[in-house]
Amino acid sequence: MATGRDGHVILGINVLTLGYLPAAWQTDLLTPLSPLEPAYWRRIGELAERGTLDAIFLADGSQLGDPTYDGNAPRLDPTIAWSWVARSTRRVGLIATASTTFNDPYELAERLLSFDVVSGGRAAWNVVTSRDQGSANNFGLTDVLGREERYDRASEFVDLVIELWNSAASGRDVTHHGRFFDVEGRLTVPPSKQGRPVLFQAGGSPQGRALAGRVGEGVFAAELTLESALEHYREVKQNAIDFGRSPDDVKILPGLLLTLGSTEEEARRRSDELHDLGPASYSTQWLSQAIGFDVSTLPLDERFPDELLDGPLDTTTFRGSIGFRQSIFERIRQTRPTVREYLRETRYTGSGHGGFVGTPEQLVDRIEHWFRAGAIDGFNLQPDRLIDGLEVIADEVVPLLRRRGLFRHEYETETLRGHFAASSATPVLR
């Protein structure tokens, strides 16, 4: 067990445009065009900064989402959306997801560093690889790259982007001739207030965790249980040590799906109502996509078969997140629910990412328990409906964390890397 923690937890918000549930748009608080209006994005930034949150995340995608399990089919380029938010905020970090599969390293390095400069040193890049067929087709490819090749490309891509960012400070040309990329030159963008963007990594595969330990400064993890979170935390921190880094150089922030209410009963009622407003097949479709198996073919009132839970994974054909799949299967093995019970349970406990349904006080209990146990450096919170869920986090959750000495009362630093450095001290790993 980890002991001796000080500082504060890191809190981010995963801005899934409207919220993580498909029915998030069905509220009088929004209009159909809200996510396309500057005022919506400005409000998100202002609420996050009102709560002195460390950062807000925005995902990217190269194809329209499937509304059966994705409530955010329209996508805006994160660097463009966050550039607008940067105008109305001063301190909150702005994290943009961008794929190493369908981007060019020179162009992306230039775009992200430019964004970091104009935001005053608040930018971060969440590194992902793309695995979906639709995105490949949009780029004129017949199929997406295999998993091993995607991660090999990602590793070289990240190293090259870092070289290019360093060239902005040193003024020296980069000469790179690798397996995937050839670059000779340097960036003409100057260094930012924090030097260069912070690097996040979001993969749970062995390759992803190794990349996080080698160069990552933050990990957007997927954890359903405290035990698996502890194991992942120790693995990535040890990876950092093995690469000659301090374990405090990389911060672990699991996602946490949230539904909050003034009472637990109210929170459960809200969760049920939002789920019932969405597609009837939402949970089944999402789970099938996450584990690479058609859950609708399983008997609802029987347990998940052992051959599914314990069978080998063919990583050459499975295109989902290995981290999500491992997290889901571990939870199923622990509780041994029927298929019907698990699909119902995911309304309250999450699927892939952990879930929480309850009061702000209960949420703070959860955050404190995992933080004190040494399983996290913070959480990347994902409200069911962002427009009012973020307000509760800023005005009710954060004050409770402050009273327990777990969060700052005001910003003490100006850059995102500064926020991380001023946050929690990594405990001794045992």
Side-chain angles (χ1 to χ4, degrees), residues 292-338:
F293 184 87
D294 186 358
V295 176
S296 68
T297 64
L298 298 175
L300 284 174
D301 294 310
E302 295 182 13
R303 293 189 173 120
F304 288 84
D306 290 337
E307 54 267 28
L308 172 61
L309 299 177
D310 301 327
L313 174 65
D314 185 352
T315 58
T316 63
T317 59
F318 177 66
R319 290 180 173 167
S321 164
I322 291 178
F324 270 15
R325 188 177 187 271
Q326 289 175 339
S327 184
I328 291 167
F329 278 5
E330 180 177 355
R331 184 61 176 250
I332 292 173
R333 290 189 190 99
Q334 284 188 350
T335 58
R336 300 300 295 177
T338 66

mmCIF file of all heavy atoms in Angstrom, residues 292-338:
data_model
loop_
_atom_site.group_PDB
_atom_site.id
_atom_site.type_symbol
_atom_site.label_atom_id
_atom_site.label_comp_id
_atom_site.label_asym_id
_atom_site.label_seq_id
_atom_site.Cartn_x
_atom_site.Cartn_y
_atom_site.Cartn_z
ATOM 1 N N GLY A 292 -15.385 -7.068 -28.438
ATOM 2 C CA GLY A 292 -15.180 -7.783 -29.690
ATOM 3 C C GLY A 292 -16.003 -9.051 -29.805
ATOM 4 O O GLY A 292 -15.572 -10.022 -30.426
ATOM 5 N N PHE A 293 -17.213 -9.040 -29.226
ATOM 6 C CA PHE A 293 -18.090 -10.208 -29.276
ATOM 7 C C PHE A 293 -19.533 -9.724 -29.268
ATOM 8 O O PHE A 293 -19.874 -8.805 -28.512
ATOM 9 C CB PHE A 293 -17.839 -11.133 -28.086
ATOM 10 C CG PHE A 293 -18.643 -12.407 -28.111
ATOM 11 C CD1 PHE A 293 -18.154 -13.523 -28.778
ATOM 12 C CD2 PHE A 293 -19.880 -12.483 -27.493
ATOM 13 C CE1 PHE A 293 -18.891 -14.693 -28.819
ATOM 14 C CE2 PHE A 293 -20.626 -13.654 -27.523
ATOM 15 C CZ PHE A 293 -20.125 -14.766 -28.196
ATOM 16 N N ASP A 294 -20.386 -10.339 -30.091
ATOM 17 C CA ASP A 294 -21.784 -9.937 -30.189
ATOM 18 C C ASP A 294 -22.548 -10.430 -28.964
ATOM 19 O O ASP A 294 -22.973 -11.584 -28.884
ATOM 20 C CB ASP A 294 -22.409 -10.501 -31.466
ATOM 21 C CG ASP A 294 -23.839 -9.998 -31.688
ATOM 22 O OD1 ASP A 294 -24.353 -9.247 -30.833
ATOM 23 O OD2 ASP A 294 -24.438 -10.372 -32.709
ATOM 24 N N VAL A 295 -22.722 -9.536 -27.998
ATOM 25 C CA VAL A 295 -23.364 -9.890 -26.730
ATOM 26 C C VAL A 295 -24.825 -10.274 -26.928
ATOM 27 O O VAL A 295 -25.389 -11.034 -26.130
ATOM 28 C CB VAL A 295 -23.232 -8.721 -25.734
ATOM 29 C CG1 VAL A 295 -23.973 -9.004 -24.431
ATOM 30 C CG2 VAL A 295 -21.759 -8.443 -25.448
ATOM 31 N N SER A 296 -25.460 -9.789 -27.991
ATOM 32 C CA SER A 296 -26.872 -10.107 -28.216
ATOM 33 C C SER A 296 -27.097 -11.586 -28.485
ATOM 34 O O SER A 296 -28.234 -12.065 -28.415
ATOM 35 C CB SER A 296 -27.420 -9.275 -29.384
ATOM 36 O OG SER A 296 -26.825 -9.672 -30.619
ATOM 37 N N THR A 297 -26.040 -12.334 -28.773
ATOM 38 C CA THR A 297 -26.185 -13.778 -29.018
ATOM 39 C C THR A 297 -26.154 -14.590 -27.732
ATOM 40 O O THR A 297 -26.386 -15.800 -27.760
ATOM 41 C CB THR A 297 -25.067 -14.277 -29.946
ATOM 42 O OG1 THR A 297 -23.794 -14.104 -29.291
ATOM 43 C CG2 THR A 297 -25.060 -13.500 -31.254
ATOM 44 N N LEU A 298 -25.868 -13.954 -26.595
ATOM 45 C CA LEU A 298 -25.774 -14.666 -25.323
ATOM 46 C C LEU A 298 -27.131 -14.692 -24.620
ATOM 47 O O LEU A 298 -27.868 -13.699 -24.665
ATOM 48 C CB LEU A 298 -24.751 -13.987 -24.409
ATOM 49 C CG LEU A 298 -23.306 -13.947 -24.897
ATOM 50 C CD1 LEU A 298 -22.448 -13.136 -23.920
ATOM 51 C CD2 LEU A 298 -22.746 -15.349 -25.042
ATOM 52 N N PRO A 299 -27.483 -15.791 -23.938
ATOM 53 C CA PRO A 299 -28.715 -15.833 -23.145
ATOM 54 C C PRO A 299 -28.659 -14.804 -22.021
ATOM 55 O O PRO A 299 -27.698 -14.765 -21.243
ATOM 56 C CB PRO A 299 -28.735 -17.264 -22.585
ATOM 57 C CG PRO A 299 -27.825 -18.038 -23.489
ATOM 58 C CD PRO A 299 -26.768 -17.081 -23.930
ATOM 59 N N LEU A 300 -29.682 -13.977 -21.910
ATOM 60 C CA LEU A 300 -29.668 -12.870 -20.959
ATOM 61 C C LEU A 300 -29.585 -13.317 -19.507
ATOM 62 O O LEU A 300 -28.989 -12.631 -18.670
ATOM 63 C CB LEU A 300 -30.908 -11.995 -21.156
ATOM 64 C CG LEU A 300 -30.890 -11.049 -22.365
ATOM 65 C CD1 LEU A 300 -32.242 -10.363 -22.511
ATOM 66 C CD2 LEU A 300 -29.788 -10.005 -22.227
ATOM 67 N N ASP A 301 -30.183 -14.453 -19.188
ATOM 68 C CA ASP A 301 -30.254 -14.882 -17.794
ATOM 69 C C ASP A 301 -29.236 -15.961 -17.443
ATOM 70 O O ASP A 301 -29.392 -16.672 -16.442
ATOM 71 C CB ASP A 301 -31.670 -15.335 -17.463
ATOM 72 C CG ASP A 301 -32.663 -14.181 -17.518
ATOM 73 O OD1 ASP A 301 -32.372 -13.140 -16.892
ATOM 74 O OD2 ASP A 301 -33.682 -14.292 -18.216
ATOM 75 N N GLU A 302 -28.187 -16.059 -18.244
ATOM 76 C CA GLU A 302 -27.071 -16.940 -17.933
ATOM 77 C C GLU A 302 -25.810 -16.112 -17.766
ATOM 78 O O GLU A 302 -25.695 -15.003 -18.276
ATOM 79 C CB GLU A 302 -26.873 -17.986 -19.040
ATOM 80 C CG GLU A 302 -28.041 -18.954 -19.162
ATOM 81 C CD GLU A 302 -27.796 -20.016 -20.226
ATOM 82 O OE1 GLU A 302 -26.627 -20.142 -20.679
ATOM 83 O OE2 GLU A 302 -28.765 -20.693 -20.609
ATOM 84 N N ARG A 303 -24.840 -16.677 -17.041
ATOM 85 C CA ARG A 303 -23.574 -15.975 -16.844
ATOM 86 C C ARG A 303 -22.755 -15.976 -18.121
ATOM 87 O O ARG A 303 -22.940 -16.819 -18.993
ATOM 88 C CB ARG A 303 -22.785 -16.637 -15.709
ATOM 89 C CG ARG A 303 -23.444 -16.473 -14.334
ATOM 90 C CD ARG A 303 -22.512 -16.947 -13.250
ATOM 91 N NE ARG A 303 -23.049 -16.653 -11.928
ATOM 92 C CZ ARG A 303 -23.324 -17.546 -10.998
ATOM 93 N NH1 ARG A 303 -23.105 -18.835 -11.260
ATOM 94 N NH2 ARG A 303 -23.810 -17.187 -9.834
ATOM 95 N N PHE A 304 -21.817 -15.034 -18.189
ATOM 96 C CA PHE A 304 -20.921 -14.987 -19.335
ATOM 97 C C PHE A 304 -20.114 -16.285 -19.381
ATOM 98 O O PHE A 304 -19.576 -16.724 -18.358
ATOM 99 C CB PHE A 304 -19.970 -13.796 -19.218
ATOM 100 C CG PHE A 304 -20.625 -12.463 -19.442
ATOM 101 C CD1 PHE A 304 -21.290 -11.815 -18.406
ATOM 102 C CD2 PHE A 304 -20.576 -11.860 -20.684
ATOM 103 C CE1 PHE A 304 -21.895 -10.579 -18.602
ATOM 104 C CE2 PHE A 304 -21.177 -10.621 -20.900
ATOM 105 C CZ PHE A 304 -21.844 -9.979 -19.849
ATOM 106 N N PRO A 305 -20.029 -16.924 -20.533
ATOM 107 C CA PRO A 305 -19.316 -18.209 -20.614
ATOM 108 C C PRO A 305 -17.824 -18.058 -20.343
ATOM 109 O O PRO A 305 -17.196 -17.070 -20.733
ATOM 110 C CB PRO A 305 -19.577 -18.658 -22.056
ATOM 111 C CG PRO A 305 -19.918 -17.415 -22.806
ATOM 112 C CD PRO A 305 -20.598 -16.505 -21.829
ATOM 113 N N ASP A 306 -17.258 -19.058 -19.665
ATOM 114 C CA ASP A 306 -15.833 -19.028 -19.332
ATOM 115 C C ASP A 306 -14.963 -18.974 -20.581
ATOM 116 O O ASP A 306 -13.899 -18.347 -20.578
ATOM 117 C CB ASP A 306 -15.466 -20.257 -18.499
ATOM 118 C CG ASP A 306 -16.051 -20.201 -17.091
ATOM 119 O OD1 ASP A 306 -16.349 -19.082 -16.622
ATOM 120 O OD2 ASP A 306 -16.212 -21.265 -16.470
ATOM 121 N N GLU A 307 -15.419 -19.638 -21.653
ATOM 122 C CA GLU A 307 -14.594 -19.647 -22.869
ATOM 123 C C GLU A 307 -14.470 -18.251 -23.479
ATOM 124 O O GLU A 307 -13.502 -17.957 -24.180
ATOM 125 C CB GLU A 307 -15.160 -20.619 -23.906
ATOM 126 C CG GLU A 307 -16.609 -20.411 -24.280
ATOM 127 C CD GLU A 307 -17.556 -21.261 -23.433
ATOM 128 O OE1 GLU A 307 -17.207 -21.577 -22.286
ATOM 129 O OE2 GLU A 307 -18.627 -21.609 -23.955
ATOM 130 N N LEU A 308 -15.451 -17.366 -23.200
ATOM 131 C CA LEU A 308 -15.342 -15.976 -23.649
ATOM 132 C C LEU A 308 -14.408 -15.193 -22.735
ATOM 133 O O LEU A 308 -13.521 -14.473 -23.205
ATOM 134 C CB LEU A 308 -16.722 -15.324 -23.678
ATOM 135 C CG LEU A 308 -16.746 -13.803 -23.942
ATOM 136 C CD1 LEU A 308 -16.144 -13.477 -25.305
ATOM 137 C CD2 LEU A 308 -18.171 -13.274 -23.846
ATOM 138 N N LEU A 309 -14.584 -15.357 -21.420
ATOM 139 C CA LEU A 309 -13.796 -14.591 -20.456
ATOM 140 C C LEU A 309 -12.329 -15.010 -20.422
ATOM 141 O O LEU A 309 -11.438 -14.176 -20.222
ATOM 142 C CB LEU A 309 -14.388 -14.743 -19.055
ATOM 143 C CG LEU A 309 -15.824 -14.250 -18.853
ATOM 144 C CD1 LEU A 309 -16.280 -14.547 -17.431
ATOM 145 C CD2 LEU A 309 -15.938 -12.768 -19.154
ATOM 146 N N ASP A 310 -12.083 -16.304 -20.604
ATOM 147 C CA ASP A 310 -10.722 -16.828 -20.441
ATOM 148 C C ASP A 310 -10.051 -17.209 -21.750
ATOM 149 O O ASP A 310 -8.888 -17.609 -21.752
ATOM 150 C CB ASP A 310 -10.746 -18.057 -19.519
ATOM 151 C CG ASP A 310 -11.309 -17.719 -18.145
ATOM 152 O OD1 ASP A 310 -11.097 -16.587 -17.684
ATOM 153 O OD2 ASP A 310 -11.969 -18.596 -17.549
ATOM 154 N N GLY A 311 -10.781 -17.098 -22.849
ATOM 155 C CA GLY A 311 -10.219 -17.489 -24.134
ATOM 156 C C GLY A 311 -9.133 -16.538 -24.601
ATOM 157 O O GLY A 311 -9.074 -15.380 -24.169
ATOM 158 N N PRO A 312 -8.252 -16.986 -25.475
ATOM 159 C CA PRO A 312 -7.168 -16.124 -25.981
ATOM 160 C C PRO A 312 -7.726 -14.996 -26.833
ATOM 161 O O PRO A 312 -8.772 -15.133 -27.474
ATOM 162 C CB PRO A 312 -6.311 -17.089 -26.798
ATOM 163 C CG PRO A 312 -7.263 -18.177 -27.226
ATOM 164 C CD PRO A 312 -8.232 -18.332 -26.093
ATOM 165 N N LEU A 313 -7.033 -13.879 -26.811
ATOM 166 C CA LEU A 313 -7.412 -12.723 -27.616
ATOM 167 C C LEU A 313 -6.545 -12.669 -28.861
ATOM 168 O O LEU A 313 -5.318 -12.671 -28.766
ATOM 169 C CB LEU A 313 -7.252 -11.434 -26.813
ATOM 170 C CG LEU A 313 -7.475 -10.123 -27.581
ATOM 171 C CD1 LEU A 313 -8.923 -10.026 -28.048
ATOM 172 C CD2 LEU A 313 -7.098 -8.923 -26.715
ATOM 173 N N ASP A 314 -7.194 -12.629 -30.010
ATOM 174 C CA ASP A 314 -6.462 -12.494 -31.267
ATOM 175 C C ASP A 314 -6.259 -11.007 -31.536
ATOM 176 O O ASP A 314 -7.166 -10.310 -32.019
ATOM 177 C CB ASP A 314 -7.253 -13.139 -32.412
ATOM 178 C CG ASP A 314 -6.472 -13.135 -33.723
ATOM 179 O OD1 ASP A 314 -5.391 -12.505 -33.785
ATOM 180 O OD2 ASP A 314 -6.954 -13.745 -34.698
ATOM 181 N N THR A 315 -5.092 -10.507 -31.188
ATOM 182 C CA THR A 315 -4.835 -9.074 -31.322
ATOM 183 C C THR A 315 -4.700 -8.630 -32.772
ATOM 184 O O THR A 315 -4.698 -7.432 -33.044
ATOM 185 C CB THR A 315 -3.553 -8.684 -30.562
ATOM 186 O OG1 THR A 315 -2.452 -9.442 -31.056
ATOM 187 C CG2 THR A 315 -3.716 -8.930 -29.071
ATOM 188 N N THR A 316 -4.607 -9.588 -33.694
ATOM 189 C CA THR A 316 -4.519 -9.215 -35.112
ATOM 190 C C THR A 316 -5.886 -8.871 -35.677
ATOM 191 O O THR A 316 -5.981 -8.173 -36.688
ATOM 192 C CB THR A 316 -3.895 -10.350 -35.938
ATOM 193 O OG1 THR A 316 -4.743 -11.517 -35.871
ATOM 194 C CG2 THR A 316 -2.512 -10.698 -35.429
ATOM 195 N N THR A 317 -6.961 -9.366 -35.045
ATOM 196 C CA THR A 317 -8.308 -9.090 -35.547
ATOM 197 C C THR A 317 -9.120 -8.200 -34.610
ATOM 198 O O THR A 317 -10.037 -7.519 -35.053
ATOM 199 C CB THR A 317 -9.084 -10.408 -35.769
ATOM 200 O OG1 THR A 317 -9.152 -11.125 -34.531
ATOM 201 C CG2 THR A 317 -8.393 -11.264 -36.815
ATOM 202 N N PHE A 318 -8.798 -8.199 -33.315
ATOM 203 C CA PHE A 318 -9.539 -7.375 -32.360
ATOM 204 C C PHE A 318 -9.125 -5.920 -32.512
ATOM 205 O O PHE A 318 -7.956 -5.584 -32.404
ATOM 206 C CB PHE A 318 -9.274 -7.844 -30.926
ATOM 207 C CG PHE A 318 -9.949 -7.002 -29.883
ATOM 208 C CD1 PHE A 318 -11.333 -6.975 -29.790
ATOM 209 C CD2 PHE A 318 -9.204 -6.232 -28.998
ATOM 210 C CE1 PHE A 318 -11.964 -6.190 -28.838
ATOM 211 C CE2 PHE A 318 -9.831 -5.455 -28.036
ATOM 212 C CZ PHE A 318 -11.212 -5.433 -27.950
ATOM 213 N N ARG A 319 -10.099 -5.044 -32.738
ATOM 214 C CA ARG A 319 -9.802 -3.638 -33.002
ATOM 215 C C ARG A 319 -10.185 -2.717 -31.855
ATOM 216 O O ARG A 319 -9.989 -1.516 -31.941
ATOM 217 C CB ARG A 319 -10.513 -3.191 -34.282
ATOM 218 C CG ARG A 319 -9.886 -3.826 -35.523
ATOM 219 C CD ARG A 319 -10.588 -3.398 -36.781
ATOM 220 N NE ARG A 319 -9.886 -3.877 -37.966
ATOM 221 C CZ ARG A 319 -10.382 -3.878 -39.185
ATOM 222 N NH1 ARG A 319 -11.610 -3.437 -39.384
ATOM 223 N NH2 ARG A 319 -9.677 -4.330 -40.193
ATOM 224 N N GLY A 320 -10.737 -3.267 -30.796
ATOM 225 C CA GLY A 320 -11.116 -2.448 -29.662
ATOM 226 C C GLY A 320 -9.940 -2.137 -28.760
ATOM 227 O O GLY A 320 -8.791 -2.486 -29.043
ATOM 228 N N SER A 321 -10.236 -1.471 -27.658
ATOM 229 C CA SER A 321 -9.215 -1.136 -26.662
ATOM 230 C C SER A 321 -8.934 -2.354 -25.783
ATOM 231 O O SER A 321 -9.846 -2.872 -25.133
ATOM 232 C CB SER A 321 -9.700 0.032 -25.796
ATOM 233 O OG SER A 321 -8.929 0.142 -24.629
ATOM 234 N N ILE A 322 -7.682 -2.796 -25.759
ATOM 235 C CA ILE A 322 -7.314 -3.917 -24.897
ATOM 236 C C ILE A 322 -7.512 -3.544 -23.428
ATOM 237 O O ILE A 322 -7.961 -4.355 -22.621
ATOM 238 C CB ILE A 322 -5.851 -4.342 -25.161
ATOM 239 C CG1 ILE A 322 -5.742 -4.990 -26.551
ATOM 240 C CG2 ILE A 322 -5.361 -5.311 -24.092
ATOM 241 C CD1 ILE A 322 -4.339 -5.409 -26.928
ATOM 242 N N GLY A 323 -7.202 -2.292 -23.078
ATOM 243 C CA GLY A 323 -7.389 -1.849 -21.704
ATOM 244 C C GLY A 323 -8.847 -1.919 -21.280
ATOM 245 O O GLY A 323 -9.168 -2.383 -20.181
ATOM 246 N N PHE A 324 -9.764 -1.439 -22.137
ATOM 247 C CA PHE A 324 -11.193 -1.531 -21.838
ATOM 248 C C PHE A 324 -11.604 -2.991 -21.654
ATOM 249 O O PHE A 324 -12.302 -3.342 -20.706
ATOM 250 C CB PHE A 324 -12.005 -0.934 -22.986
ATOM 251 C CG PHE A 324 -12.285 0.537 -22.838
ATOM 252 C CD1 PHE A 324 -11.586 1.311 -21.935
ATOM 253 C CD2 PHE A 324 -13.254 1.140 -23.615
ATOM 254 C CE1 PHE A 324 -11.846 2.667 -21.808
ATOM 255 C CE2 PHE A 324 -13.525 2.491 -23.490
ATOM 256 C CZ PHE A 324 -12.818 3.261 -22.598
ATOM 257 N N ARG A 325 -11.181 -3.836 -22.591
ATOM 258 C CA ARG A 325 -11.594 -5.247 -22.564
ATOM 259 C C ARG A 325 -11.099 -5.934 -21.286
ATOM 260 O O ARG A 325 -11.850 -6.665 -20.634
ATOM 261 C CB ARG A 325 -11.063 -5.966 -23.803
ATOM 262 C CG ARG A 325 -11.574 -7.392 -24.003
ATOM 263 C CD ARG A 325 -11.022 -7.950 -25.302
ATOM 264 N NE ARG A 325 -11.597 -9.233 -25.621
ATOM 265 C CZ ARG A 325 -11.125 -10.411 -25.219
ATOM 266 N NH1 ARG A 325 -10.061 -10.446 -24.422
ATOM 267 N NH2 ARG A 325 -11.704 -11.530 -25.566
ATOM 268 N N GLN A 326 -9.860 -5.708 -20.927
ATOM 269 C CA GLN A 326 -9.313 -6.313 -19.715
ATOM 270 C C GLN A 326 -10.069 -5.839 -18.481
ATOM 271 O O GLN A 326 -10.380 -6.628 -17.575
ATOM 272 C CB GLN A 326 -7.831 -5.963 -19.591
ATOM 273 C CG GLN A 326 -6.927 -6.661 -20.590
ATOM 274 C CD GLN A 326 -5.495 -6.178 -20.498
ATOM 275 O OE1 GLN A 326 -5.210 -5.095 -19.986
ATOM 276 N NE2 GLN A 326 -4.566 -6.975 -21.016
ATOM 277 N N SER A 327 -10.369 -4.558 -18.431
ATOM 278 C CA SER A 327 -11.068 -3.987 -17.294
ATOM 279 C C SER A 327 -12.472 -4.578 -17.152
ATOM 280 O O SER A 327 -12.903 -4.942 -16.053
ATOM 281 C CB SER A 327 -11.148 -2.459 -17.462
ATOM 282 O OG SER A 327 -11.727 -1.843 -16.348
ATOM 283 N N ILE A 328 -13.182 -4.705 -18.255
ATOM 284 C CA ILE A 328 -14.538 -5.260 -18.243
ATOM 285 C C ILE A 328 -14.523 -6.719 -17.811
ATOM 286 O O ILE A 328 -15.305 -7.141 -16.946
ATOM 287 C CB ILE A 328 -15.177 -5.113 -19.640
ATOM 288 C CG1 ILE A 328 -15.458 -3.638 -19.942
ATOM 289 C CG2 ILE A 328 -16.474 -5.925 -19.731
ATOM 290 C CD1 ILE A 328 -15.798 -3.372 -21.388
ATOM 291 N N PHE A 329 -13.638 -7.517 -18.386
ATOM 292 C CA PHE A 329 -13.600 -8.941 -18.061
ATOM 293 C C PHE A 329 -13.199 -9.173 -16.608
ATOM 294 O O PHE A 329 -13.706 -10.087 -15.955
ATOM 295 C CB PHE A 329 -12.656 -9.682 -19.013
ATOM 296 C CG PHE A 329 -13.286 -10.021 -20.333
ATOM 297 C CD1 PHE A 329 -14.562 -9.594 -20.655
ATOM 298 C CD2 PHE A 329 -12.603 -10.784 -21.268
ATOM 299 C CE1 PHE A 329 -15.143 -9.906 -21.872
ATOM 300 C CE2 PHE A 329 -13.177 -11.119 -22.488
ATOM 301 C CZ PHE A 329 -14.449 -10.668 -22.792
ATOM 302 N N GLU A 330 -12.292 -8.345 -16.095
ATOM 303 C CA GLU A 330 -11.901 -8.503 -14.694
ATOM 304 C C GLU A 330 -13.094 -8.262 -13.781
ATOM 305 O O GLU A 330 -13.306 -8.988 -12.802
ATOM 306 C CB GLU A 330 -10.765 -7.541 -14.346
ATOM 307 C CG GLU A 330 -10.313 -7.669 -12.893
ATOM 308 C CD GLU A 330 -9.132 -6.774 -12.574
ATOM 309 O OE1 GLU A 330 -8.603 -6.139 -13.493
ATOM 310 O OE2 GLU A 330 -8.746 -6.724 -11.390
ATOM 311 N N ARG A 331 -13.891 -7.240 -14.091
ATOM 312 C CA ARG A 331 -15.075 -6.950 -13.280
ATOM 313 C C ARG A 331 -16.082 -8.101 -13.355
ATOM 314 O O ARG A 331 -16.669 -8.498 -12.336
ATOM 315 C CB ARG A 331 -15.719 -5.652 -13.768
ATOM 316 C CG ARG A 331 -16.916 -5.187 -12.941
ATOM 317 C CD ARG A 331 -16.510 -4.923 -11.506
ATOM 318 N NE ARG A 331 -17.589 -4.398 -10.724
ATOM 319 C CZ ARG A 331 -17.634 -3.142 -10.273
ATOM 320 N NH1 ARG A 331 -16.660 -2.307 -10.547
ATOM 321 N NH2 ARG A 331 -18.631 -2.748 -9.526
ATOM 322 N N ILE A 332 -16.299 -8.656 -14.545
ATOM 323 C CA ILE A 332 -17.246 -9.758 -14.706
ATOM 324 C C ILE A 332 -16.770 -10.984 -13.933
ATOM 325 O O ILE A 332 -17.561 -11.671 -13.282
ATOM 326 C CB ILE A 332 -17.438 -10.081 -16.197
ATOM 327 C CG1 ILE A 332 -18.172 -8.929 -16.903
ATOM 328 C CG2 ILE A 332 -18.217 -11.387 -16.376
ATOM 329 C CD1 ILE A 332 -18.258 -9.079 -18.403
ATOM 330 N N ARG A 333 -15.477 -11.274 -13.971
ATOM 331 C CA ARG A 333 -14.948 -12.434 -13.233
ATOM 332 C C ARG A 333 -15.156 -12.269 -11.727
ATOM 333 O O ARG A 333 -15.393 -13.236 -11.012
ATOM 334 C CB ARG A 333 -13.459 -12.611 -13.534
ATOM 335 C CG ARG A 333 -13.135 -13.081 -14.949
ATOM 336 C CD ARG A 333 -11.664 -13.422 -15.071
ATOM 337 N NE ARG A 333 -11.269 -13.641 -16.455
ATOM 338 C CZ ARG A 333 -10.668 -12.727 -17.205
ATOM 339 N NH1 ARG A 333 -10.370 -11.542 -16.692
ATOM 340 N NH2 ARG A 333 -10.339 -12.993 -18.463
ATOM 341 N N GLN A 334 -15.034 -11.043 -11.248
ATOM 342 C CA GLN A 334 -15.175 -10.801 -9.810
ATOM 343 C C GLN A 334 -16.603 -10.996 -9.332
ATOM 344 O O GLN A 334 -16.844 -11.582 -8.276
ATOM 345 C CB GLN A 334 -14.701 -9.387 -9.460
ATOM 346 C CG GLN A 334 -13.199 -9.217 -9.428
ATOM 347 C CD GLN A 334 -12.808 -7.859 -8.878
ATOM 348 O OE1 GLN A 334 -13.646 -6.982 -8.686
ATOM 349 N NE2 GLN A 334 -11.525 -7.666 -8.631
ATOM 350 N N THR A 335 -17.579 -10.489 -10.090
ATOM 351 C CA THR A 335 -18.966 -10.486 -9.614
ATOM 352 C C THR A 335 -19.817 -11.599 -10.192
ATOM 353 O O THR A 335 -20.879 -11.904 -9.652
ATOM 354 C CB THR A 335 -19.621 -9.129 -9.943
ATOM 355 O OG1 THR A 335 -19.571 -8.899 -11.370
ATOM 356 C CG2 THR A 335 -18.882 -7.999 -9.238
ATOM 357 N N ARG A 336 -19.375 -12.196 -11.313
ATOM 358 C CA ARG A 336 -20.065 -13.314 -11.964
ATOM 359 C C ARG A 336 -21.557 -13.036 -12.193
ATOM 360 O O ARG A 336 -22.431 -13.825 -11.834
ATOM 361 C CB ARG A 336 -19.899 -14.594 -11.140
ATOM 362 C CG ARG A 336 -18.467 -15.041 -10.950
ATOM 363 C CD ARG A 336 -17.784 -15.326 -12.247
ATOM 364 N NE ARG A 336 -18.377 -16.464 -12.957
ATOM 365 C CZ ARG A 336 -17.980 -16.878 -14.161
ATOM 366 N NH1 ARG A 336 -16.994 -16.245 -14.795
ATOM 367 N NH2 ARG A 336 -18.547 -17.900 -14.736
ATOM 368 N N PRO A 337 -21.894 -11.915 -12.819
ATOM 369 C CA PRO A 337 -23.299 -11.614 -13.069
ATOM 370 C C PRO A 337 -23.827 -12.363 -14.288
ATOM 371 O O PRO A 337 -23.056 -12.875 -15.111
ATOM 372 C CB PRO A 337 -23.268 -10.113 -13.352
ATOM 373 C CG PRO A 337 -21.941 -9.931 -14.050
ATOM 374 C CD PRO A 337 -20.991 -10.890 -13.365
ATOM 375 N N THR A 338 -25.150 -12.434 -14.415
ATOM 376 C CA THR A 338 -25.734 -12.859 -15.674
ATOM 377 C C THR A 338 -25.555 -11.707 -16.665
ATOM 378 O O THR A 338 -25.238 -10.576 -16.290
ATOM 379 C CB THR A 338 -27.224 -13.178 -15.534
ATOM 380 O OG1 THR A 338 -27.925 -11.960 -15.221
ATOM 381 C CG2 THR A 338 -27.465 -14.224 -14.454
#
